[in-house]
Amino acid sequence: MNIILIGTQGCGKGTQAIKLSEYFNIPTITMGEVLREEIEKGTALGKLAASYMNKGMLVPDDLVGSIIRKKLQRDEYGLGVILDGYPRNIVQAEEFDTYFQPDYAILLEISDEEAIKRVTGRRVCLKCGENFHTLYRPSKEPGRCDRCGTKLKVREDSTPEVVKTRLEVYHLQTEPLIGFYEKKGVFIRIDGERSISEVYEDIISKIKEHELRHQKTKQEVEIMAQGGARLAKVLARLRGIAKPGAETAELERRAQEWLKELGAEPAFLNYRAGRSGSPYPCSVCVSLNQEIVHGLSVPSRVLKSGDLVSLDFGAKYKGLYTDMAITFYLGRAPKEVKRLIKITYDSLRRAIRVVRPGNNLSDIGKTIESCVAKHKLGIVRDLVGHGVGYAVHEPPRVPNYDDPTLAKIPLEPGMCLAIEPMLTLGDFKIKTLEDGWTVVTKDGSLSAHAEVTVAVTEKGHRILTPFID
Ligand code: MF3
Ligand code: CO
């Protein structure tokens, strides 16, 4: 679970970050603290940051970006994080989006007057560190610390002038993040002018509501099943011509032609993901050998005997999307490759079996992980399954490993999920090639990928993209 908190000074981001961090059991990163830490540790990045701050200048976006990137690489943030104070503008958000996708971007909205009232009333005792507020937590004797009697001070960042300037910057630079995250379908607006517990309860209930928004009606699931059947049919035919000597561009041509014959459209063609600047140029992803996903079906790529081939294919039918993938070997597969393919499918089938109301989202990844555990295979972590239907990718994330934070999301009828284990014969680490799309194993080991779209039903589940074998 990744959450970004947005709001002016005084909106309660810090307080809510702590509460959410307890609720979801994931750490918080406060941008201001990260900068301070980096400077205190005297790292190269920290020194550079300090050189700007000492001159009273803003730390440039790319520098803040590098610092946060370094921080997020640490394992403790692998299961999710709550971010307070980053990103602060569109430039930061766009760069951030190339490697970090929030599940929620939550705005704690308060008026400028309220922000000024909240922040300028803050008082601090510089001797013992006690905090007061002229309105909300007044000291017994005005202007004096209750604990040590020292004269209370207004912190440098709490004077009316500073608060007003910051509000201006906020409206100009940070507010556009609303549109940015709205487009990604992860934005939540919260009225922040209420008590801490009211705001907190509202955040939790909006998050739950948000997950449910993606539930499809019975009619929509029906349409997705029709679309999925068409998708599977075309994919089966593609499988039939994916023989040694076949050009991937031929698969691409046929994919488009056959989908069209069945009244469906390709879902991936021109798809834009945060990870890449350019749209995906094909309808079918052909990923060979060490390529995990998003390989290109372009001319000059020719299948050959001994290739481990994965075809990943999506369709839009009557406005709704389905997504599936298969992996097979051209020729007689070596034993370990056979096993890799088998376990990829086994783990997928086992995971599908736990899809039913009463179970929760973490059960899927948990099942895949436990299924793979006894075999020496890597489970790709940086790519995950996903909700599907109104878009190719929609919340929630469906990782192929156990993510305990997802235990809070129940599986409920109408949720449609693309479950897609990606396993390797080596390490789980990945990298993206120069083309901006093809994802390969970092260690060059072979990888397999199988995917279906499945709907949660009242009784259990329904596979919307039938297996083809
Ligand atoms: N099944 C693929 C996935 O879930 C769909 C990729 S869309 C593409 O990642 F445009 F990136 F190919
Ligand atoms: Co997918």
Side-chain angles (χ1 to χ4, degrees):
M1 176 72 71
N2 290 318
I3 296 178
I4 289 175
L5 292 173
I6 307 171
T8 61
Q9 225 184 339
C11 72
K13 284 193 307 255
T15 312
Q16 296 299 336
I18 294 167
K19 293 181 77 76
L20 291 171
S21 150
E22 278 163 12
Y23 181 82
F24 289 111
N25 195 19
I26 49 176
T28 297
I29 294 182
T30 306
M31 197 53 217
E33 269 169 33
V34 173
L35 273 179
R36 238 169 287 145
E37 245 174 58
E38 203 70 22
I39 291 168
E40 268 165 30
K41 276 192 284 180
T43 62
L45 290 174
K47 280 185 188 144
L48 203 54
S51 73
Y52 287 96
M53 286 162 77
N54 293 340
K55 283 182 234 148
M57 287 160 72
L58 276 180
V59 184
D61 290 331
D62 54 349
L63 183 51
V64 192
S66 307
I67 292 175
I68 199 87
R69 187 187 282 253
K70 187 174 122 196
K71 179 101 178 160
L72 280 168
Q73 268 159 7
R74 305 217 311 238
D75 285 346
E76 60 198 281
Y77 302 118
L79 291 181
V81 64
I82 296 169
L83 277 163
D84 168 3
Y86 193 85
R88 270 181 198 278
N89 61 44
I90 291 286
V91 174
Q92 292 180 353
E94 268 165 0
E95 190 270 335
F96 200 36
D97 194 58
T98 61
Y99 68 97
F100 181 97
Q101 284 79 37
D103 298 278
Y104 301 103
I106 301 172
L107 168 68
L108 303 181
E109 196 172 41
I110 60 172
S111 66
D112 285 3
E113 296 70 48
E114 180 74 10
I116 292 166
K117 197 164 94 188
R118 287 185 183 186
V119 180
T120 56
R122 290 176 183 168
R123 298 289 180 274
V124 62
C125 171
L126 293 177
K127 188 148 170 240
C128 72
E130 215 30 29
N131 288 296
F132 298 89
H133 194 287
T134 50
L135 297 175
Y136 309 121
R137 192 171 184 257
S139 52
K140 288 197 193 84
E141 189 191 329
R144 294 246 165 238
C145 178
D146 289 354
R147 259 180 38 197
C148 64
T150 311
K151 198 155 175 269
L152 295 176
K153 287 266 186 296
V154 179
R155 269 201 347 226
E156 256 174 52
D157 62 357
S158 310
T159 63
E161 298 71 39
V162 172
V163 179
K164 278 185 194 141
T165 314
R166 286 200 184 185
L167 281 169
E168 267 169 40
V169 174
Y170 173 83
H171 291 306
L172 217 62
Q173 301 202 2
T174 310
E175 232 160 43
L177 293 180
I178 295 174
F180 183 85
Y181 289 115
E182 244 167 6
K183 274 205 205 104
K184 300 197 176 290
V186 298
F187 179 72
I188 290 177
R189 183 187 302 268
I190 301 282
D191 172 5
E193 291 195 18
R194 294 172 296 171
S195 73
I196 292 173
S197 62
E198 277 173 313
V199 169
Y200 169 69
E201 298 295 331
D202 196 22
I203 294 175
I204 300 294
S205 86
K206 285 257 167 57
I207 286 181
K208 288 195 175 146
E209 220 176 84
H210 197 258
E211 296 297 341
L212 300 184
R213 269 228 323 261
H214 296 272
Q215 283 177 280
K216 279 81 191 171
T217 62
K218 289 215 172 81
Q219 291 89 321
E220 286 171 329
V221 170
E222 199 52 53
I223 291 171
M224 285 176 69
Q226 291 168 11
R230 286 163 169 77
L231 178 69
K233 196 165 175 182
V234 175
L235 187 54
R237 290 179 73 183
L238 292 175
R239 163 85 169 89
I241 60 165
K243 293 280 156 61
E247 224 184 304
T248 60
E250 171 67 4
L251 297 178
E252 172 65 22
R253 254 195 313 280
R254 292 297 185 188
Q256 298 196 18
E257 178 189 328
W258 290 336
L259 265 186
K260 200 165 169 195
E261 280 173 20
L262 295 178
E265 288 165 53
F268 302 165
L269 188 63
N270 294 323
Y271 181 87
R272 265 181 198 282
R275 286 177 185 282
S276 167
S278 59
Y280 188 72
C282 319
S283 318
V284 58
C285 311
V286 183
S287 307
L288 305 175
N289 306 315
Q290 77 285 357
E291 297 170 358
I292 306 165
V293 288
H294 305 166
L296 303 179
S297 45
V298 290
S300 83
R301 278 199 3 133
V302 178
L303 304 185
K304 59 180 192 319
S305 180
D307 274 342
L308 177 60
V309 184
S310 140
L311 302 180
D312 190 344
F313 195 26
K316 182 180 184 185
Y317 180 70
K318 298 192 175 166
L320 293 166
Y321 292 86
T322 46
D323 187 3
M324 74 182 291
I326 56 172
T327 293
F328 51 93
Y329 188 83
L330 296 180
R332 269 172 71 109
K335 225 167 85 203
E336 79 267 17
V337 176
K338 230 185 203 154
R339 203 177 54 115
L340 171 68
I341 298 173
K342 180 175 182 311
I343 300 188
T344 306
Y345 278 94
D346 283 354
S347 66
L348 174 57
R349 287 184 191 273
R350 290 258 290 269
I352 294 169
R353 269 191 255 143
V354 304
V355 176
R356 59 167 173 271
N359 282 350
N360 65 63
L361 203 54
S362 80
D363 291 319
I364 295 172
K366 207 189 285 174
T367 305
I368 293 171
E369 188 166 340
S370 80
C371 192
V372 177
K374 43 191 174 298
H375 308 278
K376 280 182 88 183
L377 299 173
I379 301 181
V380 172
R381 299 179 68 89
D382 292 349
L383 298 166
V384 295
H386 46 92
V388 57
Y390 305 129
V392 176
H393 293 132
E394 61 190 30
R397 296 167 59 248
V398 186
N400 297 305
Y401 53 87
D402 182 19
D403 178 343
T405 63
L406 298 178
K408 300 222 162 65
I409 302 174
L411 293 176
E412 292 186 8
M415 286 171 81
C416 295
L417 305 171
I419 307 179
E420 48 179 320
M422 287 158 261
L423 306 184
T424 79
L425 277 182
D427 194 76
F428 66 88
K429 293 201 190 85
I430 65 168
K431 66 177 186 200
T432 305
L433 298 186
E434 296 270 282
D435 62 25
W437 281 103
T438 311
V439 180
V440 300
T441 53
K442 215 168 192 170
D443 63 3
S445 61
L446 294 178
S447 96
H449 172 214
E451 174 176 21
V452 295
T453 298
V454 65
V456 186
T457 60
E458 309 279 341
K459 292 207 189 88
H461 60 259
R462 177 171 176 191
I463 296 174
L464 303 177
T465 57
F467 280 94
I468 42 181
D469 28 39

